[in-house]
Amino acid sequence: MGVAADERQALSSLFEDLGPDAPTLCEGWKTRDLAAHLVVREHRPDAAPGIVVPALAGYTQKVQDRYAAKPWTDLVGQVRRGPSKFWPTAIGRLDELTNTAEFLVHHEDVRRAQPEWTPRPADPTRDAAAWRSVKGAAKLNLRKSPVGVTLRTKDGREAAVKTGPDPVTIVGEPVDLLLFIFGRDAVHLDFEGDAAAVSRLQSVNRGL
């Protein structure tokens, strides 16, 4: 299996352990809402566009709420099984391309919302996949940053992802960097640069 498939299975197991009403880092969502989101994304092409298109979000929410009301074991089982064989991401390479960041981030959304969470031990395969996802998504996700941004891993890999004034360098493990560029603040990171610039960057990032 690839990283996306591994994270799917790990998240599904965590869902089973925590139940449907555990907190997540996704504002307003409990675990049942996050599981429903994942199912809608992979099983409802009529509703999935509303995940990213605000004008369609109302319909998507109605569909998601119906899935969230399903028996918990059924809903988690659907997340675990993934899409049908006719869905494009049922192909391993496409799954890795489109779902690695999705399941890495959402797995951590559940893990890090629990009391006394700690980072997972380093894993070369997972960390490499996270770094690829960071480089692929950061320029889009940080496009509104009012300052320049460079991302650097603790082992020295670096990517300049936003040009601009008052540059800030963010240093951390790949999974933490990935979470940050998707707007999460439950991360262990160091920020190098002017304090005011760092504050402006963090403020904009929390709005993602």
Side-chain angles (χ1 to χ4, degrees):
M1 294 196 298
V3 171
D6 289 345
E7 293 296 305
R8 178 194 296 277
Q9 295 305 312
L11 174 57
S12 297
S13 295
L14 188 56
F15 278 152
E16 290 172 341
D17 291 342
L18 294 174
D21 296 310
T24 78
L25 296 184
C26 301
E27 185 176 358
W29 282 5
K30 295 184 177 180
T31 41
R32 69 168 73 246
D33 303 298
L34 179 51
H37 158 79
L38 292 169
V39 171
V40 168
R41 182 176 172 271
E42 295 189 311
H43 292 268
R44 292 294 300 265
D46 61 317
I51 295 171
V52 294
V53 180
L56 304 176
Y59 175 66
T60 299
Q61 187 64 55
K62 290 179 182 178
V63 174
Q64 181 174 305
D65 288 345
R66 289 199 292 270
Y67 277 100
K70 292 179 64 174
W72 182 236
T73 54
D74 294 347
L75 185 59
V76 174
Q78 202 164 1
V79 174
R80 187 184 290 280
R81 288 190 300 273
S84 73
K85 64 181 179 180
F86 302 107
W87 197 265
T89 57
I91 301 170
R93 290 185 179 179
L94 285 177
D95 186 37
E96 283 294 285
L97 181 65
T98 61
N99 282 332
T100 293
E102 180 80 7
F103 279 93
L104 261 172
V105 170
H106 285 321
H107 186 194
E108 294 295 334
D109 280 337
V110 179
R111 288 188 69 257
R112 298 186 184 210
Q114 310 315 310
E116 300 180 2
W117 70 269
T118 58
R120 286 184 280 175
D123 178 278
T125 301
R126 183 180 66 233
D127 291 344
W131 180 239
R132 288 193 297 271
S133 296
V134 166
K135 293 191 294 181
K139 290 184 179 180
L140 175 64
N141 289 18
L142 297 180
R143 67 191 183 281
K144 294 182 180 180
S145 170
V147 302
V149 182
T150 295
L151 305 176
R152 187 169 71 231
T153 64
K154 290 188 175 181
D155 62 6
R157 288 171 288 178
E158 191 169 283
V161 296
K162 177 68 167 67
T163 58
D166 304 319
V168 173
T169 298
I170 311 172
V171 184
E173 299 296 347
V175 171
D176 287 275
L177 292 169
L178 182 65
L179 288 167
F180 178 81
I181 69 166
F182 278 93
R184 278 52 170 187
D185 56 11
V187 291
H188 293 168
L189 295 170
D190 295 316
F191 294 83
E192 300 176 355
D194 178 76
V198 170
S199 180
R200 293 201 303 276
L201 170 60
Q202 292 173 324
S203 178
V204 168
N205 196 61
R206 281 192 290 272
L208 290 175

